[in-house]
Amino acid sequence: MRTHHPSAEFPRVDSHAAPSATPMHASSPEIVVKRPNASLFVPRSKTSAPTSTALTVANFGAWYGTFQALCDITLNIPQNRVTSFIGPSGCGKSTFLRWINRMNDLVPIAHASGTLDLHGLDLLSRNTDVVDLRRRVGMVFQKPNPFPKSIYDNVAFGPRLHFKLSHSQVDDLVERSLVAAGLWNEVKDRLRNSALGLSGGQQQRLCIARAIAVGPEMLLMDEPCSALDPKSTARIEDLIRELRERYTIIIVTHNMHQAARVSDLTAFFYEGRLIESGHTDDMFTNPKNPQTEDYVTGRFG
Amino acid sequence: MGIDLIHELIEVRRMIMTMASSVERQVDRAVTALINKDIALARLVQSGDDEINHLELDIENECLRIFALTHPVAGDLRFVMAVLRINNNLERIGDKAKTIAKRTIDLTDCAPVALPKALVEMADEARKMLGDALRALANEDTELSRSVRLSDDRVDALQRELFNWAHKEIPAHVESTHAVIDVLSISRALERIADLSTNIAEDVIFIVDGSVVRHSRASRTH
């Protein structure tokens, strides 16, 4: 059963800001500094009302042996929104993503503590059905990794594994998934050709089609465009904006402008800690934490 | 050719401060010309406006280049955006200095009228507001910016005083009507200089802490 958390809002976390970190605000309480509410041009991420929480993260910590990769992360990932994780290499964002669909089960020394709750499902419990979890939480990797099979079989592979379907049902599902991934028109006449013959951008969209074919509720994307040219990147970004209507999306990216373009919310990680999170618009125009400011402006990392 | 954001930001900062000092000099000279009835100085102000117009275009181009090539975000983005607005406000202040100079020259051709005290006070106040706004910009001083916002009310009050003076002066000395109109034009230019200086001060607050204080009156929030 799904647990909904009405009125859950993405919290603005500024866990590392010392009191002296925001002297300008502190010293000027007398000035009313609210933006006008009646703006005619409402920023994208603020057009939509807050949604319920899809993934609740509380006091989450993750280790590789004795090395602590993530420390005390508390964050709500809202449903049907795009949340981007940004931060320099080694800050723990990919580790976090890997814990959300339990890919770290394959790493014997990996362990974690705290709460990772997907609509009431305890992601850290030993009893959690990992196969079912991975159906609910799809993953798209940095490098497109289609199976060395036909385009059709790539998309049909998951549904055949999870569900009992007739041929025509699989046909239908493959078509719908490829349409949703914006690939159908390009491949409909060569579905039986090898997926490895597609371009990098097409392969990545095929991987997205493969991920959504099994009916997930959440998509995790680990730098999905870093191996793609600008045109393919733009297509994937358009696709992310479309998929947002149906899925909760978390995207890890090193491309600041990509995070700014596609995400509603942004979380900045540094050295295993969540430094700041909030509306993407705010994070890129007026971050509260000096470390976030330094990172998004390219001063370090 | 590549572009180094930090270097470009330093450059655009240097450019806007150059523009600021040129505009401040223009206003200083216009006010001095007015008070001393110095026609030669007024003419110098008139010819000095071209330089400001050129600077405005240069700064605009530099900001455009930064936006196009470096995609600034956060504090950098606020700075470049504010520079664009400040640039525009400075250019308009330059125009107002030119207006004051023109009316000063005009005044000497009219039947003489004693400059009202309120006009002299207004000139001093506007000049001070501009100077403070530019110092606030140079030092990113939000406290000074806030004091500039508060001064605007005083300038507005002085302008109302001048209108009342004109209402009495024209019927009493009809021959001075032309001069009175010149004085009112000058007061209008000074009032605009005060307004535009307030805009600059508000942009300094925006640069420093991202707060948008435009359209919220300073006196009401204190």
Side-chain angles (χ1 to χ4, degrees), chain A residues 150-152 174-175 178-179 183-194 198 202:
Chain A
S150 69
I151 295 167
Y152 183 97
V174 167
E175 179 175 341
L178 286 168
V179 168
L183 190 61
W184 175 250
N185 285 335
E186 290 159 62
V187 301
K188 63 185 176 194
D189 299 325
R190 47 174 173 148
L191 291 173
R192 299 294 171 184
N193 291 8
S194 167
L198 297 173
Q202 288 172 327

Side-chain angles (χ1 to χ4, degrees), chain A:
Chain A
M1 202 183 101
R2 290 184 176 185
T3 323
H4 286 276
H5 304 264
S7 82
E9 259 194 276
F10 200 73
R12 184 134 193 155
V13 182
D14 192 3
S15 47
H16 280 229
S20 61
T22 52
M24 300 310 171
H25 292 281
S27 63
S28 57
E30 77 277 17
I31 293 272
V32 175
V33 292
K34 280 184 186 153
R35 283 162 194 273
N37 287 330
S39 173
L40 294 173
F41 304 100
V42 184
R44 163 171 41 87
S45 65
K46 290 172 185 168
T47 51
S48 27
T51 58
S52 59
T53 299
L55 178 72
T56 306
V57 184
N59 308 113
F60 178 71
W63 287 261
Y64 293 108
T66 54
F67 171 71
Q68 186 163 14
L70 284 167
C71 183
D72 200 24
I73 310 290
T74 295
L75 178 71
N76 287 342
I77 305 289
Q79 194 164 352
N80 295 97
R81 293 286 177 273
V82 181
T83 302
S84 61
F85 289 177
I86 60 170
S89 296
C91 70
K93 55 195 189 304
S94 290
T95 297
F96 193 7
L97 218 57
R98 293 165 63 87
W99 269 106
I100 297 172
N101 78 346
R102 289 275 292 270
M103 292 218 323
N104 278 328
D105 284 11
L106 302 171
V107 182
I109 57 169
H111 56 107
S113 69
T115 305
L116 273 187
D117 179 301
L118 179 72
H119 285 309
L121 178 69
D122 178 4
L123 300 191
L124 299 184
S125 164
R126 283 183 199 284
N127 302 326
T128 296
D129 177 352
V130 175
V131 174
D132 187 56
L133 168 66
R134 288 176 193 157
R135 187 192 62 73
R136 291 176 59 179
V137 180
M139 183 108 178
V140 177
F141 296 88
Q142 181 175 0
K143 199 165 166 277
N145 57 351
F147 303 133
K149 290 171 174 288
S150 69
I151 295 167
Y152 183 97
D153 286 340
N154 262 275
V155 184
F157 189 85
R160 282 176 183 149
L161 193 74
H162 287 283
F163 317 111
K164 257 180 109 85
L165 298 169
S166 69
H167 281 300
S168 67
Q169 282 175 316
V170 175
D171 285 351
D172 187 44
L173 191 56
V174 167
E175 179 175 341
R176 274 195 287 128
S177 303
L178 286 168
V179 168
L183 190 61
W184 175 250
N185 285 335
E186 290 159 62
V187 301
K188 63 185 176 194
D189 299 325
R190 47 174 173 148
L191 291 173
R192 299 294 171 184
N193 291 8
S194 167
L196 302 179
L198 297 173
S199 73
Q202 288 172 327
Q203 288 188 11
Q204 195 64 305
R205 278 180 281 143
L206 179 65
C207 292
I208 292 172
R210 188 177 64 187
I212 59 186
V214 290
E217 54 203 87
M218 180 179 267
L219 287 177
L220 308 176
M221 298 185 169
D222 195 354
E223 296 185 54
C225 301
S226 62
L228 305 183
D229 66 78
K231 198 175 165 200
S232 304
T233 298
R235 291 220 53 174
I236 300 277
E237 289 181 5
D238 286 343
L239 182 57
I240 290 171
R241 280 186 279 268
E242 285 169 29
L243 294 175
R244 165 185 184 274
E245 303 295 324
R246 275 166 290 165
Y247 308 99
T248 300
I249 298 173
I250 301 178
I251 175 170
V252 164
T253 178
H254 279 296
N255 181 335
M256 290 302 107
H257 297 292
Q258 180 166 69
R261 283 192 298 264
V262 303
S263 67
D264 301 286
L265 307 142
T266 297
F268 169 57
F269 293 84
Y270 185 60
E271 293 184 343
R273 290 176 184 276
L274 175 65
I275 304 298
E276 186 175 348
S277 62
H279 284 288
T280 298
D281 298 12
D282 296 331
M283 294 283 283
F284 283 91
T285 55
N286 193 13
K288 293 291 166 258
N289 190 294
Q291 281 180 301
T292 315
E293 170 100 21
D294 284 350
Y295 185 72
V296 298
T297 57
R299 300 287 194 272
F300 82 82

Side-chain angles (χ1 to χ4, degrees), chain B residues 56-221:
Chain B
E56 188 207 12
L57 294 179
D58 288 349
I59 291 170
E60 199 173 291
N61 278 336
E62 179 64 11
C63 291
L64 212 60
R65 223 170 81 82
I66 293 176
F67 278 131
L69 301 182
T70 71
H71 312 288
V73 294
D76 298 341
L77 173 65
R78 297 201 305 273
F79 178 74
V80 182
M81 242 188 90
V83 162
L84 263 180
R85 283 200 296 248
I86 290 169
N87 186 37
N88 189 245
N89 284 323
L90 284 171
E91 192 273 335
R92 286 158 72 192
I93 292 173
D95 284 347
K96 296 302 159 195
K98 198 173 153 189
T99 303
I100 295 170
K102 185 170 177 294
R103 294 295 178 174
T104 298
I105 295 167
D106 218 28
L107 264 177
T108 57
D109 296 337
C110 307
V113 61
L115 286 186
K117 235 180 78 190
L119 185 73
V120 177
E121 194 188 329
M122 207 173 163
D124 281 340
E125 195 65 40
R127 193 158 50 165
K128 182 173 175 302
M129 282 175 71
L130 175 63
D132 284 351
L134 298 180
R135 263 196 306 137
L137 173 64
N139 303 325
E140 300 201 342
D141 182 341
T142 52
E143 284 309 308
L144 191 55
S145 296
R146 290 192 177 96
S147 77
V148 172
R149 296 184 82 221
L150 290 173
S151 303
D152 202 29
D153 288 350
R154 176 67 192 140
V155 173
D156 291 346
L158 285 167
Q159 204 196 6
R160 280 195 296 278
E161 209 174 293
L162 279 170
F163 270 106
N164 292 336
W165 165 80
H167 273 296
K168 290 176 194 148
E169 187 70 14
I170 292 174
H173 305 95
V174 177
E175 71 284 1
S176 308
T177 304
H178 195 117
V180 172
I181 291 171
D182 278 337
V183 166
L184 286 183
S185 293
I186 291 169
S187 80
R188 171 77 186 141
L190 290 168
E191 189 266 334
R192 287 301 295 148
I193 289 174
D195 277 352
L196 296 164
S197 302
T198 305
N199 291 352
I200 293 173
E202 288 170 350
D203 271 325
V204 171
I205 296 173
F206 175 70
I207 291 173
V208 175
D209 60 21
S211 313
V212 178
V213 291
R214 288 200 307 273
H215 314 305
S216 64
R217 286 199 48 192
S219 49
R220 277 189 213 146
T221 56

